[in-house]
């Protein structure tokens, strides 16, 4: 079902087109991904597991998992969450491992288009956008690529107002910040943007970093720069429970993408797992979209996110059950029920405390882990730092990794807030331009300012653990792990 | 974990818990004119309320400190209610045997001036009915959040924190 009215969003849809699911026409709008259009038509089963028995649906909705792979115009393994609809497209559910079409000829490497700039930025979220803007202002030419169809990263679905200081956009909604940053990027002649373009590998060739990109699933592009900023964000975590692969179980971010970016209702009744900021904010946004939230379950004995977010959903009548967890999902082809239970002091479910919720959606808001695959492949030193969300690249105070000329920023560098992602992006962008000898030395002051802002943001109880994680990382430069 | 304050276990704070953290405005002050009360007991990195306050009534030495309002300096302008990203500021004004509560309302439908609405407490339970006195649509606020002022029985002044529009 599509949303038309919303208290804080306006949905602008493109031209109406028709796509075909198993030969049946489905109404869609230009500018929306295939999976969103199918959801609007009530189609949630997108493919089947390797043994072809278990139905699977959308999970991350930002191109990071393989839960939405479908066969599009005869081509298998298409990530339908970030592939836009086109009139007349033929879409079929994928069953297990798909066979590649025999007649298709993959592009050859020597045909690849070459795009050069001083600095290549991978990722168009808050960190990547700020990195590009500041690198460009410091005098560098920049090319920015992102595999999603729009700039802004996760800002495009964040309808809540930001915290922090007003000079860091506090009091402004994430969706609005995305628009502001995109406008800034677009008005700079020395930034070139490539959307729907996936970075699939990083190589060193002489003085240059070579990033292999694939545009719209078919066109190979070689991005070359002397410095590289990786701002690829993070990936939703999954937790083990029975039937956790049923269609209707999503990462919290996927529901936000469907609902807030594309105006598609994820379902009618929702159970949320996780009372961190993401779970709490999601609950509020679901109510704003007219969806019922049955409860939020949280394994910890307290709300993990900001208290004010919890208060906001409690006064709308949504229970938050601390010391509770999900035991299983039930349903045939999609979620029909969720069974939860209370946890004892040892985090074990207490028999007899089970409760059943009739829901068609289960949202997992159980944390994020940094997307470091490209950094790993490029040979950056990686270290496990619990406080930063998992494995992260070792880096210095200028956000430079152990591979000279490769910088990180945002959630890729450690799970935190969009506010800190923007500050890190600013540092990485300027630092890369300084390293290349392009930026004037006076730009060092701007880095120091951003470092002070970061320190201030992280000085409270919520930022302290991140600060501790960063101390561990900085201490690890050059060390073997 | 034994130090977890009850409001973090439940997700809402009682007036008693709140007033152990910040002072309660005096009866006299509540009668004089609207006064801003922050329900923001946790140290989070956030400061727009302090930054927007035209009379510097909100003290917060660093953005991680909790906001404390100097009720004598507060002129009841509602800018903090409009800007607060946590929707945690409310204004309270005692008038006769009624209280006027100003709160954010980011849901559809937006009530209309004069409309009777269901009053909700901090856990979303209906506790009575009240009349909407003013509505400021989001386009006219400083923080992109619509705010409304509702008249409630005075004994519910510290209970009502949301409304439900029934049409």
């Amino acid at each position: 079902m599509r949303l038309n009215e919303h208290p804080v969003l306006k949905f602008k849809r493109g031209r109406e087109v028709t796509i075909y699911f198993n030969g049946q026409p489905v109404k869609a709008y230009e500018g929306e991904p295939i999976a969103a259009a199918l959801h609007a038509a009530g189609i949630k089963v997108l493919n089947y597991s390797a043994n072809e028995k278990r139905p699977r649906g959308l999970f991350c909705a930002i191109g990071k998992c393989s839960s939405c792979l479908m066969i599009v115009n005869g081509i298998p393994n298409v990530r339908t969450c970030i592939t836009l609809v086109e009139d007349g497209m033929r879409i079929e559910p994928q069953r297990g491992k798909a066979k590649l079409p025999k007649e298709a000829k993959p592009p050859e490497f020597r045909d690849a288009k070459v795009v050069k700039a001083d600095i290549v930025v991978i990722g168009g979220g808050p960190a990547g956008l700020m990195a590009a803007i500041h690198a460009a202002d410091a005098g560098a030419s920049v090319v920015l690529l992102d595999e999603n169809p729009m700039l802004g990263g996760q800002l495009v679905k964040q309808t809540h107002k930001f915290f922090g200081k007003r000079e860091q956009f506090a009091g402004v909604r994430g969706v609005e910040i995305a628009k502001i940053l995109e406008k800034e990027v677009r008005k700079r002649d020395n930034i070139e943007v490539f959307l729907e373009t996936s970075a699939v590998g990083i190589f060193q060739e002489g003085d240059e970093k070579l990033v292999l990109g694939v545009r719209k699933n078919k066109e190979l592009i070689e991005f070359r720069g002397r410095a590289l900023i990786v701002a690829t964000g993070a990936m939703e975590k999954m937790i083990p429970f029975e039937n956790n692969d049923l269609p209707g179980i999503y990462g919290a971010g996927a529901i936000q993408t469907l609902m807030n970016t594309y105006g598609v209702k994820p379902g009618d009744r929702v159970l949320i797992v996780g009372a961190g900021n993401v779970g709490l904010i999601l609950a509020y946004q679901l109510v704003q979209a007219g969806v019922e939230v049955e409860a939020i379950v949280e394994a910890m004995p307290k709300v993990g996110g900001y208290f004010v977010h919890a208060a906001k959903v409690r006064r709308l009548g949504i229970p938050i059950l601390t010391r509770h967890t999900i035991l299983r999902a039930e349903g045939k082809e999609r979620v029909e029920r969720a069974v939860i239970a209370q946890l004892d002091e040892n985090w074990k479910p207490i028999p007899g405390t089970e409760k059943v919720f009739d829901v068609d959606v289960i949202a997992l808001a159980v944390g994020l882990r940094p997307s470091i695959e490209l950094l790993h492949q490029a040979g950056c030193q990686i270290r496990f730092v619990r406080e930063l969300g998992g494995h992260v690249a070792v880096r210095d105070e200028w956000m430079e990794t152990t591979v000279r000329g490769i910088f990180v920023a945002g959630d890729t560098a450690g799970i935190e807030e969009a506010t800190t992602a923007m500050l890190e992006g600013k540092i990485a962008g300027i630092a890369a331009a300084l390293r290349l000898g392009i930026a004037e030395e006076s730009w060092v002051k701007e880095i120091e300012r951003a470092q002070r802002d970061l320190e201030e943001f992280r000085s409270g109880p919520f930022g302290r653990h991140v600060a501790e994680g960063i101390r561990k990382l900085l201490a690890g430069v050059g060390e073997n792990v | 974990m034994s130090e977890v304050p009850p409001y973090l276990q439940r997700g809402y704070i009682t007036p008693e818990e709140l007033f152990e953290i910040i002072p309660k405005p005096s009866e006299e002050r509540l009668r004089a004119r609207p006064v801003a009360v922050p329900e923001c007991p946790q140290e989070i990195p956030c400061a727009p309320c302090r930054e927007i306050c035209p009379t510097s009534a909100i003290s917060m030495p660093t953005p991680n400190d909790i906001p404390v309002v100097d009720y004598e300096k507060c002129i009841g302008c509602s800018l903090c209610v409009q800007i607060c990203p946590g929707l945690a500021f409310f204004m309270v004004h005692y008038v006769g045997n009624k209280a006027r509560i100003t709160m954010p309302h980011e849901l559809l439908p937006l009530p209309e001036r004069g409309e009777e609405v269901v009053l909700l407490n901090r856990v979303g339970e209906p506790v009575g009915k009240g009349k909407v006195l003013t509505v400021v649509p989001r386009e006219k606020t400083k923080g992109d959040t619509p705010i409304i002022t509702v008249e409630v029985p005075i004994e519910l002044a510290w209970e009502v924190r949301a409304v439900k529009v029934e049409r």
Side-chain angles (χ1 to χ4, degrees):
Chain A
M1 220 184 97
R2 289 179 192 276
L3 291 164
N4 291 310
E5 278 196 312
H6 192 281
V8 295
L9 292 170
K10 279 197 181 81
F11 300 108
K12 278 184 234 137
R13 297 195 168 97
R15 191 172 65 95
E16 195 181 309
V17 295
T18 305
I19 60 173
Y20 295 87
F21 174 76
N22 279 337
Q24 295 302 306
V26 172
K27 195 167 82 172
Y29 294 94
E30 271 180 357
E32 70 185 2
I34 296 166
L38 294 179
H39 261 74
I43 300 162
K44 288 190 170 189
V45 179
L46 306 182
N47 60 48
Y48 293 85
S49 61
N51 63 7
E52 304 188 19
K53 286 182 182 153
R54 300 188 65 85
R56 299 257 165 88
L58 195 63
F59 180 72
C60 84
I62 51 168
K64 301 231 177 192
C65 72
S66 57
S67 211
C68 69
L69 298 185
M70 298 182 84
I71 300 169
V72 177
N73 292 337
I75 300 169
N77 298 336
V78 173
R79 291 178 291 176
T80 53
C81 69
I82 56 167
T83 304
L84 299 182
V85 296
E86 284 169 19
D87 202 20
M89 241 177 192
R90 288 172 294 111
I91 295 134
E92 294 156 70
Q94 191 164 316
R95 291 173 189 277
K97 266 190 197 164
K99 287 194 182 71
L100 291 169
K102 284 196 184 83
E103 70 278 16
K105 183 179 149 293
E108 290 191 29
F109 189 68
R110 64 172 177 274
D111 302 335
K113 173 177 170 180
V114 177
V115 179
K116 278 193 175 213
D118 294 321
I119 299 170
V120 178
V121 179
I122 306 174
L129 291 171
M130 284 292 270
I133 291 165
H134 284 88
D137 288 355
S141 65
V142 178
V143 57
L144 183 151
L145 54 143
D146 193 296
E147 60 186 357
N148 280 278
M150 57 177 87
L151 283 177
Q154 309 319 301
L155 291 174
V156 301
K157 61 197 185 194
Q158 292 177 4
T159 54
H160 68 286
K161 300 192 283 188
F162 270 46
F163 290 66
K165 294 200 287 195
R166 291 188 83 200
E167 60 174 27
Q168 300 154 354
F169 300 111
V172 183
R173 297 185 194 281
V175 281
E176 297 301 322
I177 300 172
K179 287 181 200 158
I180 294 167
L181 295 183
E182 170 162 19
K183 216 169 140 193
E184 289 296 318
V185 162
R186 299 284 186 191
K187 77 181 186 201
R188 283 165 174 77
D189 294 336
N190 51 344
I191 305 178
E192 199 181 350
V193 176
F194 285 79
L195 291 174
E196 293 181 80
T197 306
S198 304
V200 297
I202 299 171
F203 303 92
Q204 182 82 33
E205 262 198 10
D207 286 346
E208 283 183 329
K209 311 277 179 233
L210 165 63
V211 177
L212 277 189
V214 179
R215 192 163 164 267
K216 293 195 169 187
N217 292 322
K218 38 184 181 272
E219 187 193 352
L220 196 62
I221 308 177
E222 244 182 84
F223 295 95
R224 288 175 174 273
R226 284 188 294 141
L228 173 64
I229 298 167
V230 179
T232 45
M235 161 84 195
E236 206 101 40
K237 279 183 183 164
M238 164 57 88
I239 50 167
F241 59 91
E242 202 179 321
N243 287 331
N244 68 0
D245 62 342
L246 267 185
I249 298 173
Y250 307 85
I255 295 173
Q256 291 180 306
T257 299
L258 278 178
M259 180 170 75
N260 298 344
T261 308
Y262 299 110
V264 174
K265 250 177 150 175
D268 294 319
R269 286 176 313 282
V270 182
L271 175 82
I272 297 175
V273 182
N277 275 338
V278 175
L280 296 171
I281 288 170
L282 176 71
Y284 187 74
Q285 294 177 351
L286 281 161
V287 176
Q288 285 183 311
V291 181
E292 267 180 56
V293 181
E294 295 291 321
I296 304 174
V297 293
E298 168 59 60
M300 289 204 303
K302 63 166 185 170
V303 165
Y306 294 167
F307 166 74
V308 290
H309 284 313
K312 225 164 69 175
V313 303
R314 288 295 270 128
R315 64 180 181 252
L316 299 179
I318 300 169
I320 299 174
L321 306 169
T322 49
R323 276 214 185 285
H324 277 74
T325 194
I326 182 164
L327 291 184
R328 64 179 176 274
E330 292 179 349
K332 272 194 83 164
E333 283 258 304
R334 57 164 69 185
V335 173
E336 289 165 35
R337 283 171 302 281
V339 182
I340 67 158
Q342 203 182 327
L343 294 172
D344 67 16
E345 299 286 316
N346 300 312
W347 308 80
K348 293 269 183 288
I350 304 171
T353 62
E354 293 86 359
K355 270 197 209 90
V356 181
F357 289 105
D358 288 321
V359 291
D360 56 354
V361 175
I362 297 171
L364 300 182
V366 293
L368 300 167
R369 67 160 181 83
S371 294
I372 57 153
E373 294 80 358
L374 286 170
L375 294 160
H376 203 186
Q377 179 265 322
C380 301
Q381 192 189 339
I382 305 292
R383 168 172 278 210
F384 184 86
V385 182
R386 190 181 52 84
E387 294 89 342
L388 300 179
H391 286 94
V392 284
V394 173
R395 49 88 172 172
D396 65 14
E397 275 136 335
W398 278 21
M399 307 307 292
E400 190 168 15
T401 67
T402 53
V403 175
R404 199 167 168 87
I406 300 184
F407 296 77
V408 280
D411 273 355
T412 320
I415 306 302
E416 223 178 333
E417 299 284 326
T419 307
T420 51
M422 287 189 274
L423 290 167
E424 287 182 347
K426 178 178 169 183
I427 293 173
I430 297 169
L434 279 163
R435 277 273 183 271
L436 296 182
I438 295 168
E440 302 275 340
E441 229 180 274
S442 58
W443 279 92
V444 173
K445 280 200 200 89
E446 282 300 308
I447 290 189
E448 286 164 358
R449 225 179 77 162
Q451 286 170 333
R452 280 196 300 276
D453 287 343
L454 276 175
E455 202 177 310
E456 184 179 70
F457 198 94
R458 290 169 179 152
S459 63
F462 277 90
R464 251 174 238 149
H465 75 286
V466 172
E468 178 56 31
I470 291 166
R471 264 193 295 280
K472 286 184 190 174
L473 254 200
L474 293 175
V477 179
E479 267 178 39
N480 286 321
V481 181
Chain B
M1 285 296 181
S2 57
E3 286 166 36
V4 176
Y7 61 85
L8 283 185
Q9 296 171 32
R10 296 185 306 249
Y12 69 93
I13 196 162
T14 63
E16 295 72 34
E17 287 168 333
L18 181 68
F19 296 131
E20 277 176 23
I21 299 164
I22 58 162
K24 185 180 176 181
S26 66
E27 169 93 16
E28 195 189 359
R29 173 63 187 86
L30 285 161
R31 291 214 169 264
R33 59 183 185 279
V35 62
V37 182
E39 301 204 359
C40 182
Q42 204 179 30
E43 294 168 323
I44 53 176
C46 192
C49 58
R50 182 198 67 194
E51 293 172 307
I52 206 164
C53 180
T55 61
S56 302
I58 301 174
S59 77
M60 186 189 280
T62 80
N64 277 295
D65 290 299
I66 63 164
V68 178
V69 177
D70 180 336
Y71 300 127
E72 295 315 309
K73 278 192 191 167
C74 172
I75 53 169
C77 70
S78 86
L79 287 178
C80 51
V81 185
Q82 298 171 28
I83 195 90
C84 175
L87 310 187
F89 261 90
F90 299 86
M91 286 197 321
V92 184
H93 185 196
Y94 289 175
V95 180
N97 61 351
K98 303 274 189 188
R100 293 173 178 181
I101 316 291
T102 302
M103 62 180 84
H105 186 87
E106 288 187 337
L107 299 170
L108 287 179
L110 190 62
E112 275 168 25
R113 202 173 141 202
E115 190 171 349
E116 196 180 59
V117 291
V118 177
L119 306 171
L120 303 176
N121 65 11
R122 289 185 182 81
V123 288
E125 292 163 347
V127 289
K129 291 205 169 175
K131 200 168 88 175
V132 175
L133 298 180
T134 56
V135 176
V136 185
R138 58 189 277 235
E139 300 77 30
K140 293 201 175 150
T141 67
K142 286 277 184 197
D144 202 16
T145 289
I147 63 164
I148 60 172
T149 301
V150 191
E151 189 176 66
V152 310
I154 200 161
E155 61 276 15
L156 294 178
W158 301 99
E159 294 300 321
V160 174
R161 287 299 174 267
V163 302
K164 195 164 144 190
V165 180
E166 281 189 335
R167 282 183 191 162

